[in-house]
Amino acid sequence: MERKFVIHFPKTLVDKPIMSDLVKRYSLDFNILKAYVTPEEEGTLVLALQGTEENVDTAVKDLKEMGARIQSISSDIRMVRELCTDCTACIPLCPVDALYRDKEDFSVHFDAEKCIACGLCIKACPTKALVFTI
Amino acid sequence: MGKTIAEINKKIKEGRAVVVTAEEIAGLAKKQDVKKLAAEIDIVTTGTFGPMCSSGVFLNFGHSNPRIKIGGGKIYLNGVPAYAGLAAVDTYIGAAATPENDPRNSEHPGSFKYGGGHVIEDLVAGREIMLEINAYGTDCYPKRGVSTRIRLKDLNEAILFNPRNCYQNYNVAVNLSKKTIYTYMGILKPELGNANYCSAGQLSPLLKDPYLRTIGLGTKIFLGGGTGYVAWWGTQFNPSVKRTKNGVPAAGAATLALIGDLKQMKPEYIKGASLTGYGTSLIVGIGIPIPVLNEDILRWTAIPDEELYAPVVDYSNDYPNCTGKTLGEVNYGQLKSGKAEILKKEVPTGSLSSYKKAREIADTLKKWITGGDFQLTENVMNFPEPDSGYKFRAMKEGR
């Protein structure tokens, strides 16, 4: 099975080889979809983990115990259509083009399949039309 | 050969007025003779829908029994402080008003979930608002406290009065620094990560009448879904900025002060806004009809996005520190394509202003006019012209 996660590492964990340890211990495969370190030196990693369900769950549990914050991605972000004014403030912030504008009628659309739930669009939306569902 | 407002109004009354939107005329003028179009078309409608922070509403609650005087005391609407410097039961609440206990930017960037703009949206949507007044009590206004729920329909007057709306043109905001910044122009990613603009471009009212030949004191407009009026020129009015060859300002320039009855307005066109790290605002829908009195006016209304330019400004340094520096100009055609070239880099663009809503507003105003429900007004007074000597000043500090 494969599951996608957004993992936020606090400053104290950023320079430790946590992921490779876990991957070895639980025989997981992983695919890094996005990684960055914020100016506050918090690390953010968006990755897909592949392995048995039990091993993925245990790895996630271990990460949480080490102090990482974890969001599971399964269309975590939802667009509340009635609240969207089709302004496009969110569009350039989306790292994976999950938000896009219709070229003809200028309406804004959200593709939940592409979304990696980084949450930038939630901060960018002036009318709170994008929300976390969990 | 020109037309007069009276002639156009007669045509509206008889259902014969020819009305097109500013987007439609931009297309028509590419194919047809401008002289012919100027003769045929009577009115061009415009529209814009974006956050306009210098907005607010005057409210009168009616008298309590016994009477209370807000002036000199304190007043809150859903916990948001309003102005307590007017008589008895009048107040003014501005879009940017923030509850006293809001954490603001103490944990940057603050989310500014609820403020004055949201109170105004809730009023328009017919929702109940908690009204709290603390007063000191006088012989004629003895009551010292009120705590009750009100709705827009219970109030005497609710007058939207926005001292600065409808900027003629606006900056394109970018960030050249190494960290993300949170501005009224949205979130700006480091090192030219994105470029945000805030104008409807070819549909934007004041871009289509660059010298304000038809828009002045008393101009009747679409305001927040109801009808409103231009009440004065807007604050920070600056007609003498640099203009491109077609006469259109290449920067901020003119603004409008607008007034209208909040009770007529609709929640689709008046919305509260939360700008992360900046504060709250009010998104206002505005549409202005431009009477085609002559060929010059038609030519201006027909200027397309590709010929309307906005200055690119670095909001990590040049904007906050008023350096006056710009990083060049881009046109609204590029901005609306989703990518614009800035400092030789292709930069993804986003807009704070909704073009879809602007279109809807220009179309609605067109329908009002062709349906005979909306007549044009003659200006009571025109606003300062570029050569009038009217100046835009900076604050005098340190004396």
mmCIF file of all heavy atoms in Angstrom, chain A residues 40-75:
data_model
loop_
_atom_site.group_PDB
_atom_site.id
_atom_site.type_symbol
_atom_site.label_atom_id
_atom_site.label_comp_id
_atom_site.label_asym_id
_atom_site.label_seq_id
_atom_site.Cartn_x
_atom_site.Cartn_y
_atom_site.Cartn_z
ATOM 1 N N GLU A 40 12.225 29.610 9.917
ATOM 2 C CA GLU A 40 12.288 29.286 11.342
ATOM 3 C C GLU A 40 12.988 27.940 11.545
ATOM 4 O O GLU A 40 13.040 27.413 12.655
ATOM 5 C CB GLU A 40 10.892 29.250 11.966
ATOM 6 C CG GLU A 40 10.182 30.608 12.014
ATOM 7 C CD GLU A 40 9.628 31.025 10.655
ATOM 8 O OE1 GLU A 40 9.204 30.143 9.874
ATOM 9 O OE2 GLU A 40 9.638 32.240 10.356
ATOM 10 N N GLU A 41 13.480 27.390 10.457
ATOM 11 C CA GLU A 41 14.238 26.136 10.453
ATOM 12 C C GLU A 41 13.396 24.919 10.806
ATOM 13 O O GLU A 41 13.892 23.924 11.311
ATOM 14 C CB GLU A 41 15.481 26.227 11.345
ATOM 15 C CG GLU A 41 16.494 27.232 10.802
ATOM 16 C CD GLU A 41 17.743 27.343 11.655
ATOM 17 O OE1 GLU A 41 17.957 26.456 12.495
ATOM 18 O OE2 GLU A 41 18.478 28.311 11.462
ATOM 19 N N GLU A 42 12.114 25.018 10.566
ATOM 20 C CA GLU A 42 11.282 23.829 10.705
ATOM 21 C C GLU A 42 11.301 23.133 9.343
ATOM 22 O O GLU A 42 11.208 23.803 8.320
ATOM 23 C CB GLU A 42 9.855 24.233 11.075
ATOM 24 C CG GLU A 42 9.012 23.033 11.470
ATOM 25 C CD GLU A 42 7.521 23.337 11.529
ATOM 26 O OE1 GLU A 42 6.925 23.604 10.467
ATOM 27 O OE2 GLU A 42 6.972 23.259 12.624
ATOM 28 N N GLY A 43 11.462 21.818 9.368
ATOM 29 C CA GLY A 43 11.515 21.109 8.106
ATOM 30 C C GLY A 43 10.144 20.576 7.727
ATOM 31 O O GLY A 43 9.376 20.153 8.590
ATOM 32 N N THR A 44 9.823 20.658 6.430
ATOM 33 C CA THR A 44 8.558 20.093 5.973
ATOM 34 C C THR A 44 8.852 19.115 4.844
ATOM 35 O O THR A 44 9.603 19.421 3.925
ATOM 36 C CB THR A 44 7.610 21.198 5.499
ATOM 37 O OG1 THR A 44 7.343 22.051 6.602
ATOM 38 C CG2 THR A 44 6.290 20.615 5.000
ATOM 39 N N LEU A 45 8.281 17.952 4.957
ATOM 40 C CA LEU A 45 8.523 16.910 3.985
ATOM 41 C C LEU A 45 7.174 16.360 3.540
ATOM 42 O O LEU A 45 6.330 16.041 4.370
ATOM 43 C CB LEU A 45 9.330 15.811 4.690
ATOM 44 C CG LEU A 45 10.021 14.749 3.878
ATOM 45 C CD1 LEU A 45 11.006 15.367 2.904
ATOM 46 C CD2 LEU A 45 10.779 13.821 4.829
ATOM 47 N N VAL A 46 6.975 16.318 2.232
ATOM 48 C CA VAL A 46 5.755 15.692 1.728
ATOM 49 C C VAL A 46 6.209 14.404 1.063
ATOM 50 O O VAL A 46 7.015 14.445 0.137
ATOM 51 C CB VAL A 46 5.034 16.598 0.724
ATOM 52 C CG1 VAL A 46 3.765 15.923 0.229
ATOM 53 C CG2 VAL A 46 4.710 17.948 1.344
ATOM 54 N N LEU A 47 5.767 13.283 1.579
ATOM 55 C CA LEU A 47 6.238 12.054 0.950
ATOM 56 C C LEU A 47 5.198 10.949 0.909
ATOM 57 O O LEU A 47 4.226 10.951 1.659
ATOM 58 C CB LEU A 47 7.548 11.584 1.579
ATOM 59 C CG LEU A 47 7.597 10.704 2.815
ATOM 60 C CD1 LEU A 47 9.029 10.334 3.097
ATOM 61 C CD2 LEU A 47 7.009 11.416 3.999
ATOM 62 N N ALA A 48 5.435 10.047 -0.055
ATOM 63 C CA ALA A 48 4.584 8.873 -0.182
ATOM 64 C C ALA A 48 5.369 7.700 0.392
ATOM 65 O O ALA A 48 6.518 7.476 0.019
ATOM 66 C CB ALA A 48 4.269 8.634 -1.650
ATOM 67 N N LEU A 49 4.763 6.996 1.339
ATOM 68 C CA LEU A 49 5.423 5.836 1.943
ATOM 69 C C LEU A 49 4.775 4.567 1.415
ATOM 70 O O LEU A 49 3.554 4.446 1.392
ATOM 71 C CB LEU A 49 5.249 5.863 3.465
ATOM 72 C CG LEU A 49 6.131 6.819 4.274
ATOM 73 C CD1 LEU A 49 5.773 6.734 5.741
ATOM 74 C CD2 LEU A 49 7.604 6.487 4.066
ATOM 75 N N GLN A 50 5.621 3.621 1.011
ATOM 76 C CA GLN A 50 5.102 2.345 0.525
ATOM 77 C C GLN A 50 5.604 1.227 1.418
ATOM 78 O O GLN A 50 6.779 1.203 1.784
ATOM 79 C CB GLN A 50 5.564 2.087 -0.912
ATOM 80 C CG GLN A 50 4.869 2.990 -1.913
ATOM 81 C CD GLN A 50 5.704 3.161 -3.168
ATOM 82 O OE1 GLN A 50 6.836 2.729 -3.242
ATOM 83 N NE2 GLN A 50 5.095 3.797 -4.169
ATOM 84 N N GLY A 51 4.729 0.304 1.774
ATOM 85 C CA GLY A 51 5.102 -0.821 2.627
ATOM 86 C C GLY A 51 3.835 -1.483 3.132
ATOM 87 O O GLY A 51 2.732 -1.143 2.680
ATOM 88 N N THR A 52 3.982 -2.420 4.077
ATOM 89 C CA THR A 52 2.780 -3.046 4.612
ATOM 90 C C THR A 52 2.068 -2.022 5.492
ATOM 91 O O THR A 52 2.701 -1.107 6.034
ATOM 92 C CB THR A 52 3.117 -4.273 5.484
ATOM 93 O OG1 THR A 52 3.813 -3.816 6.638
ATOM 94 C CG2 THR A 52 3.960 -5.282 4.719
ATOM 95 N N GLU A 53 0.776 -2.184 5.639
ATOM 96 C CA GLU A 53 -0.012 -1.217 6.400
ATOM 97 C C GLU A 53 0.524 -1.096 7.832
ATOM 98 O O GLU A 53 0.695 -0.002 8.368
ATOM 99 C CB GLU A 53 -1.487 -1.648 6.423
ATOM 100 C CG GLU A 53 -2.366 -0.556 7.013
ATOM 101 C CD GLU A 53 -3.838 -0.785 6.760
ATOM 102 O OE1 GLU A 53 -4.188 -1.744 6.043
ATOM 103 O OE2 GLU A 53 -4.643 0.005 7.274
ATOM 104 N N GLU A 54 0.848 -2.241 8.403
ATOM 105 C CA GLU A 54 1.340 -2.256 9.783
ATOM 106 C C GLU A 54 2.647 -1.464 9.915
ATOM 107 O O GLU A 54 2.809 -0.652 10.822
ATOM 108 C CB GLU A 54 1.550 -3.714 10.213
ATOM 109 C CG GLU A 54 1.640 -3.877 11.710
ATOM 110 C CD GLU A 54 2.111 -5.287 12.090
ATOM 111 O OE1 GLU A 54 1.869 -6.218 11.282
ATOM 112 O OE2 GLU A 54 2.710 -5.416 13.152
ATOM 113 N N ASN A 55 3.570 -1.701 8.961
ATOM 114 C CA ASN A 55 4.855 -1.004 9.019
ATOM 115 C C ASN A 55 4.713 0.507 8.823
ATOM 116 O O ASN A 55 5.392 1.282 9.475
ATOM 117 C CB ASN A 55 5.819 -1.588 7.988
ATOM 118 C CG ASN A 55 6.375 -2.925 8.460
ATOM 119 O OD1 ASN A 55 6.150 -3.319 9.608
ATOM 120 N ND2 ASN A 55 7.090 -3.613 7.585
ATOM 121 N N VAL A 56 3.833 0.910 7.899
ATOM 122 C CA VAL A 56 3.619 2.348 7.673
ATOM 123 C C VAL A 56 3.062 2.964 8.947
ATOM 124 O O VAL A 56 3.535 4.017 9.410
ATOM 125 C CB VAL A 56 2.676 2.598 6.464
ATOM 126 C CG1 VAL A 56 2.281 4.059 6.384
ATOM 127 C CG2 VAL A 56 3.341 2.157 5.161
ATOM 128 N N ASP A 57 2.076 2.307 9.552
ATOM 129 C CA ASP A 57 1.472 2.830 10.787
ATOM 130 C C ASP A 57 2.496 2.968 11.910
ATOM 131 O O ASP A 57 2.537 3.981 12.607
ATOM 132 C CB ASP A 57 0.337 1.903 11.264
ATOM 133 C CG ASP A 57 -0.929 2.095 10.453
ATOM 134 O OD1 ASP A 57 -0.999 3.109 9.726
ATOM 135 O OD2 ASP A 57 -1.827 1.230 10.518
ATOM 136 N N THR A 58 3.336 1.953 12.068
ATOM 137 C CA THR A 58 4.334 1.997 13.137
ATOM 138 C C THR A 58 5.347 3.107 12.881
ATOM 139 O O THR A 58 5.762 3.816 13.801
ATOM 140 C CB THR A 58 5.073 0.635 13.248
ATOM 141 O OG1 THR A 58 4.109 -0.403 13.084
ATOM 142 C CG2 THR A 58 5.743 0.487 14.587
ATOM 143 N N ALA A 59 5.741 3.268 11.632
ATOM 144 C CA ALA A 59 6.698 4.317 11.290
ATOM 145 C C ALA A 59 6.119 5.690 11.626
ATOM 146 O O ALA A 59 6.803 6.550 12.186
ATOM 147 C CB ALA A 59 7.057 4.229 9.808
ATOM 148 N N VAL A 60 4.843 5.868 11.313
ATOM 149 C CA VAL A 60 4.183 7.145 11.589
ATOM 150 C C VAL A 60 4.131 7.381 13.105
ATOM 151 O O VAL A 60 4.389 8.485 13.590
ATOM 152 C CB VAL A 60 2.767 7.165 10.965
ATOM 153 C CG1 VAL A 60 1.944 8.320 11.504
ATOM 154 C CG2 VAL A 60 2.868 7.254 9.439
ATOM 155 N N LYS A 61 3.837 6.310 13.845
ATOM 156 C CA LYS A 61 3.767 6.413 15.303
ATOM 157 C C LYS A 61 5.131 6.833 15.872
ATOM 158 O O LYS A 61 5.235 7.720 16.712
ATOM 159 C CB LYS A 61 3.323 5.065 15.893
ATOM 160 C CG LYS A 61 2.572 5.202 17.199
ATOM 161 C CD LYS A 61 2.058 3.843 17.684
ATOM 162 C CE LYS A 61 2.568 3.574 19.073
ATOM 163 N NZ LYS A 61 3.200 2.282 19.263
ATOM 164 N N ASP A 62 6.192 6.185 15.370
ATOM 165 C CA ASP A 62 7.549 6.519 15.831
ATOM 166 C C ASP A 62 7.877 7.984 15.559
ATOM 167 O O ASP A 62 8.455 8.666 16.392
ATOM 168 C CB ASP A 62 8.586 5.637 15.103
ATOM 169 C CG ASP A 62 8.609 4.220 15.672
ATOM 170 O OD1 ASP A 62 7.775 3.926 16.547
ATOM 171 O OD2 ASP A 62 9.456 3.428 15.225
ATOM 172 N N LEU A 63 7.508 8.452 14.363
ATOM 173 C CA LEU A 63 7.791 9.849 13.991
ATOM 174 C C LEU A 63 7.092 10.810 14.944
ATOM 175 O O LEU A 63 7.669 11.799 15.390
ATOM 176 C CB LEU A 63 7.321 10.128 12.558
ATOM 177 C CG LEU A 63 8.241 9.675 11.437
ATOM 178 C CD1 LEU A 63 7.523 9.764 10.109
ATOM 179 C CD2 LEU A 63 9.505 10.530 11.403
ATOM 180 N N LYS A 64 5.843 10.493 15.270
ATOM 181 C CA LYS A 64 5.074 11.351 16.182
ATOM 182 C C LYS A 64 5.739 11.389 17.547
ATOM 183 O O LYS A 64 5.828 12.446 18.174
ATOM 184 C CB LYS A 64 3.638 10.845 16.307
ATOM 185 C CG LYS A 64 2.759 11.265 15.136
ATOM 186 C CD LYS A 64 1.322 10.857 15.349
ATOM 187 C CE LYS A 64 0.468 11.220 14.142
ATOM 188 N NZ LYS A 64 -0.774 10.452 14.093
ATOM 189 N N GLU A 65 6.224 10.231 17.990
ATOM 190 C CA GLU A 65 6.878 10.165 19.300
ATOM 191 C C GLU A 65 8.157 10.987 19.336
ATOM 192 O O GLU A 65 8.547 11.512 20.370
ATOM 193 C CB GLU A 65 7.152 8.706 19.696
ATOM 194 C CG GLU A 65 5.909 8.075 20.322
ATOM 195 C CD GLU A 65 5.992 6.557 20.403
ATOM 196 O OE1 GLU A 65 7.091 6.001 20.201
ATOM 197 O OE2 GLU A 65 4.937 5.944 20.658
ATOM 198 N N MET A 66 8.798 11.123 18.167
ATOM 199 C CA MET A 66 10.021 11.920 18.111
ATOM 200 C C MET A 66 9.735 13.420 18.074
ATOM 201 O O MET A 66 10.655 14.231 18.104
ATOM 202 C CB MET A 66 10.826 11.531 16.876
ATOM 203 C CG MET A 66 11.611 10.257 17.051
ATOM 204 S SD MET A 66 12.602 9.944 15.590
ATOM 205 C CE MET A 66 11.605 8.782 14.710
ATOM 206 N N GLY A 67 8.450 13.768 17.950
ATOM 207 C CA GLY A 67 8.099 15.196 17.981
ATOM 208 C C GLY A 67 7.709 15.772 16.626
ATOM 209 O O GLY A 67 7.538 16.981 16.498
ATOM 210 N N ALA A 68 7.590 14.928 15.620
ATOM 211 C CA ALA A 68 7.172 15.440 14.309
ATOM 212 C C ALA A 68 5.649 15.556 14.281
ATOM 213 O O ALA A 68 4.955 14.789 14.936
ATOM 214 C CB ALA A 68 7.638 14.491 13.221
ATOM 215 N N ARG A 69 5.150 16.579 13.565
ATOM 216 C CA ARG A 69 3.695 16.701 13.373
ATOM 217 C C ARG A 69 3.368 16.082 12.018
ATOM 218 O O ARG A 69 4.031 16.380 11.026
ATOM 219 C CB ARG A 69 3.260 18.167 13.368
ATOM 220 C CG ARG A 69 3.025 18.725 14.764
ATOM 221 C CD ARG A 69 2.446 20.130 14.683
ATOM 222 N NE ARG A 69 3.352 21.049 13.988
ATOM 223 C CZ ARG A 69 3.039 21.755 12.914
ATOM 224 N NH1 ARG A 69 1.830 21.659 12.395
ATOM 225 N NH2 ARG A 69 3.903 22.572 12.359
ATOM 226 N N ILE A 70 2.356 15.251 11.974
ATOM 227 C CA ILE A 70 2.075 14.523 10.738
ATOM 228 C C ILE A 70 0.635 14.715 10.294
ATOM 229 O O ILE A 70 -0.293 14.589 11.087
ATOM 230 C CB ILE A 70 2.346 13.013 10.939
ATOM 231 C CG1 ILE A 70 3.807 12.851 11.348
ATOM 232 C CG2 ILE A 70 2.024 12.228 9.681
ATOM 233 C CD1 ILE A 70 4.266 11.448 11.429
ATOM 234 N N GLN A 71 0.489 15.068 9.031
ATOM 235 C CA GLN A 71 -0.862 15.115 8.464
ATOM 236 C C GLN A 71 -0.920 14.074 7.373
ATOM 237 O O GLN A 71 -0.028 14.006 6.523
ATOM 238 C CB GLN A 71 -1.117 16.476 7.812
ATOM 239 C CG GLN A 71 -1.153 17.632 8.758
ATOM 240 C CD GLN A 71 -0.928 18.904 7.949
ATOM 241 O OE1 GLN A 71 0.176 19.401 7.836
ATOM 242 N NE2 GLN A 71 -1.983 19.396 7.357
ATOM 243 N N SER A 72 -1.944 13.281 7.430
ATOM 244 C CA SER A 72 -2.125 12.293 6.397
ATOM 245 C C SER A 72 -2.813 12.989 5.224
ATOM 246 O O SER A 72 -3.671 13.829 5.421
ATOM 247 C CB SER A 72 -3.001 11.192 6.963
ATOM 248 O OG SER A 72 -3.512 10.415 5.932
ATOM 249 N N ILE A 73 -2.394 12.677 4.019
ATOM 250 C CA ILE A 73 -3.021 13.323 2.864
ATOM 251 C C ILE A 73 -3.986 12.369 2.183
ATOM 252 O O ILE A 73 -3.589 11.379 1.612
ATOM 253 C CB ILE A 73 -1.993 13.757 1.814
ATOM 254 C CG1 ILE A 73 -0.939 14.651 2.462
ATOM 255 C CG2 ILE A 73 -2.676 14.502 0.675
ATOM 256 C CD1 ILE A 73 0.148 15.060 1.500
ATOM 257 N N SER A 74 -5.239 12.651 2.301
ATOM 258 C CA SER A 74 -6.202 11.934 1.469
ATOM 259 C C SER A 74 -7.307 12.946 1.242
ATOM 260 O O SER A 74 -8.249 13.016 1.991
ATOM 261 C CB SER A 74 -6.707 10.676 2.150
ATOM 262 O OG SER A 74 -7.065 10.970 3.477
ATOM 263 N N SER A 75 -7.103 13.798 0.257
ATOM 264 C CA SER A 75 -7.897 15.000 -0.002
ATOM 265 C C SER A 75 -8.281 15.700 1.293
ATOM 266 O O SER A 75 -9.426 15.849 1.651
ATOM 267 C CB SER A 75 -9.118 14.732 -0.888
ATOM 268 O OG SER A 75 -9.845 13.647 -0.393
#
